[in-house]
């Protein structure tokens, strides 16, 4: 369960049932919430912040559910909200998805030695970074 908390009123004003957030796996751009969940299906999901209803799943492999992509503990939406960046700790890879093209992956860095635990886009230029169990920060 994901709760929306109003710090001014000091109470919850709504919730979303479904995501199992683990770590740095949530991002908001406009009225769209992106969640990454620690589970074997529907790992990446887009939600409408106003209605708190799911917009759609983002499949790790476009068009099919992959049960071995168990942990996607990190994701981020680029400031233009057209690109999703996500890392997977069980498949040891990072993918970039195009929101304008039905969330199809258009970039992948795979075969990492260990799982990926955090990803993020640069704020002011076209680059992203990720890190994981290998102990290094990788910048592209």
């Amino acid at each position: 369960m994901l709760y929306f908390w109003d710090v001014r009123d000091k109470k919850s004003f709504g919730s979303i049932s479904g995501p199992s957030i683990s770590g740095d796996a949530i991002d908001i751009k406009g009225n769209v919430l992106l969640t990454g969940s620690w589970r074997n299906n529907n790992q990446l999901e887009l939600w409408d912040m106003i209605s708190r209803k799911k917009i759609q799943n983002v499949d790790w492999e476009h068009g099919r559910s992959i049960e071995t992509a168990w942990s996607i503990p990190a994701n981020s939406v680029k400031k233009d909200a057209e690109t999703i960046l996500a890392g997977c700790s069980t498949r040891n890879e990072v993918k970039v998805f195009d929101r304008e093209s039905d969330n199809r992956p258009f970039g992948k860095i795979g075969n990492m030695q260990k799982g990926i635990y955090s990803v993020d886009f640069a704020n002011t230029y076209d680059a992203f970074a990720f890190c994981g169990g290998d102990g290094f920060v990788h910048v592209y």
Side-chain angles (χ1 to χ4, degrees), residues 84-105:
I84 295 171
L85 175 65
C88 182
S89 67
T90 57
R91 295 176 68 105
N92 303 352
E93 60 189 18
V94 174
K95 283 193 177 181
V96 184
F97 301 86
D98 183 0
R99 298 255 346 260
E100 302 270 308
S101 181
D102 195 29
N103 298 313
R104 292 180 189 274

Side-chain angles (χ1 to χ4, degrees), residues 7-139:
V7 295
R8 299 164 297 184
D9 291 338
K10 299 180 179 142
K11 66 180 182 178
S12 173
F13 63 89
S15 63
I16 293 176
S17 180
S20 178
I21 307 298
S22 177
D24 182 20
I26 189 167
D27 205 353
I28 300 169
K29 292 294 182 233
N31 290 324
V32 177
L33 171 70
L34 173 65
T35 60
S37 294
W38 173 267
R39 60 182 178 208
N40 65 351
N41 61 1
N42 300 332
Q43 295 95 345
L44 289 171
E45 298 170 294
L46 296 168
W47 302 85
D48 180 281
M49 291 281 295
I50 296 170
S51 68
R52 293 185 281 287
K53 295 188 184 206
K54 188 181 340 185
I55 298 169
Q56 71 182 121
N57 293 319
V58 178
D59 296 327
W60 195 254
E61 298 290 339
H62 187 73
R64 62 188 185 133
S65 178
I66 301 294
E67 292 190 10
T68 58
W70 234 79
S71 166
I72 302 184
N75 57 58
S76 184
V77 180
K78 192 171 179 177
K79 64 181 175 182
D80 61 12
E82 296 172 0
T83 309
I84 295 171
L85 175 65
C88 182
S89 67
T90 57
R91 295 176 68 105
N92 303 352
E93 60 189 18
V94 174
K95 283 193 177 181
V96 184
F97 301 86
D98 183 0
R99 298 255 346 260
E100 302 270 308
S101 181
D102 195 29
N103 298 313
R104 292 180 189 274
F106 68 90
K108 171 183 162 181
I109 299 171
N111 299 321
M112 301 302 293
Q113 294 298 312
K114 303 225 175 173
I116 307 304
Y117 299 114
S118 186
V119 299
D120 205 354
F121 284 107
N123 287 332
T124 57
Y125 58 96
D126 287 335
F128 66 87
F130 65 91
C131 63
D134 66 2
F136 295 100
V137 175
H138 304 269
V139 179

